[in-house]
Amino acid sequence: QSVLTQPPSASGTPGQRVTISCSGSSSNIGIYTVTWYQQLPGTAPKLLIYDNNQRPSGVPDRFSGSKSGTSASLAISGLQSDDEADYYCAAWDDRLNGPLFGGGTKLAVL
Amino acid sequence: QVQLQESGPGLVKPSGTLSLTCAVSGGSDSSNNWGTWVRQPPGKGLEWIGEIYPSGTTNYNPLFKSRVTISIDKSKNQFSLKLRSMTAADTAVYYCAMPRSGSRFDPWGRGTLVTVSS
C-alpha cells in the first residue's frame, strides 16, 4: 500500500530548527489537509498539527506546519531533548477512501 | 475530556480471530463521532484499519476489507474490532482513536500489543 513519503530520520542540536517533509500526490495532500502526529517512545501517537497548520490546545508554538501543492512540512524550532520522537504525517486519500500515513521520521536531538 | 481504552487478548493463534474493544468515556462530545482502529507492527509505521460512524456505517481499508468487522455498542459507549484469519504479519500494537475529520484523530487509546503465535 502506498504511503506518504517522509525521510526516515532527522536530527538537530538543542535550540536548532529542524524541518520534516512529507510528500504525497494529487489524491491525498494535493486536495486534503495534512495532519501531523508525535509519538514519544513507548507511547501512543499524539495529535500535533491538524488542518495543515493548526495546533491543538497545549501544543507549543515551536511546532508549525505548512503545505504547498502535494507536499507538507513540519517545523520544530528551539529544539529540545523532549522532542526526540517519531513524527508521522497523514492525509485523507481518495484512492484508499481513508486516511494515509507517512512512514514516519525518527527525530534525534544530539 | 474524551478518553479511550482498548481491551482484549494479547495473544491470538494463527488463523484465529482478534477481538478488541475500545471503551469511550468522558467529554460532552463523546457521542458526536465514533471510532477508528489503527495498528503499528513492531518497529514500523501506522496503518489505518477502518472506522465506524455514529450511524453505524463502516469504512474499511481495502487491505483488510475481507476479514475485518468494526461494530458499535452505543449503550456501552464502546466500539469493537474483529479481525479474522490472523497471521504473524498481524502482530502489532492496535490503537483505537476518535476521528474528528479526515486524517485527524484525537484522542488515541494507549494501544494494546497483540501477538499472533501458537
Side-chain angles (χ1 to χ4, degrees):
Chain A
Q1 184 172 58
S2 298
V3 298
L4 305 178
T5 302
Q6 298 180 235
S9 64
S11 63
T13 57
Q16 200 173 20
R17 181 178 187 270
V18 297
T19 61
I20 297 171
S21 62
C22 175
S23 177
S25 70
S26 57
S27 67
N28 42 68
I29 294 178
I31 52 175
Y32 295 106
T33 60
V34 176
T35 306
W36 289 91
Y37 296 95
Q38 178 192 57
Q39 187 176 32
L40 297 170
T43 69
K46 169 192 160 188
L47 180 65
L48 192 65
I49 297 286
Y50 66 96
D51 288 351
N52 301 329
N53 55 21
Q54 300 299 302
R55 286 185 307 276
S57 173
V59 173
D61 59 6
R62 302 187 297 105
F63 295 90
S64 62
S66 64
K67 175 186 136 175
S68 178
T70 59
S71 294
S73 291
L74 171 71
I76 309 171
S77 60
L79 201 60
Q80 300 178 1
S81 57
D82 289 351
D83 298 332
E84 274 208 344
D86 293 326
Y87 293 86
Y88 293 91
C89 61
W92 192 267
D93 184 88
D94 266 355
R95 294 176 204 162
L96 178 61
N97 191 32
L100 199 57
F101 288 96
T105 298
K106 181 176 290 292
L107 175 64
V109 180
L110 307 172
Chain B
Q1 69 245 18
V2 177
Q3 292 183 314
L4 288 79
Q5 179 66 58
E6 304 90 348
S7 62
L11 182 65
V12 177
K13 290 187 179 344
S15 78
T17 296
L18 169 66
S19 294
L20 294 176
T21 296
C22 181
V24 182
S25 62
S28 59
D29 61 349
S30 60
S31 63
N32 288 345
N33 295 286
W34 271 95
T36 198
W37 289 96
V38 175
R39 75 178 189 181
Q40 185 172 36
K44 295 189 177 180
L46 302 168
E47 186 172 44
W48 174 70
I49 299 172
E51 58 193 13
I52 187 164
Y53 306 109
S55 63
T57 302
T58 53
N59 182 27
Y60 299 135
N61 185 328
L63 283 180
F64 304 100
K65 199 165 189 174
S66 64
R67 58 189 186 105
V68 68
T69 301
I70 297 176
S71 59
I72 61 172
D73 186 336
K74 291 187 178 181
S75 65
K76 294 182 179 178
N77 275 348
Q78 63 186 34
F79 59 99
S80 300
L81 168 72
K82 286 191 187 301
L83 189 62
R84 300 174 288 277
S85 304
M86 296 280 282
T87 71
D90 294 312
T91 293
V93 175
Y94 286 76
Y95 295 101
C96 62
M98 186 69 69
R100 297 299 179 180
S101 66
S103 59
R104 177 185 172 192
F105 302 135
D106 180 51
W108 294 58
R110 296 178 68 176
T112 186
L113 174 62
V114 176
T115 302
V116 181
S117 174
S118 55

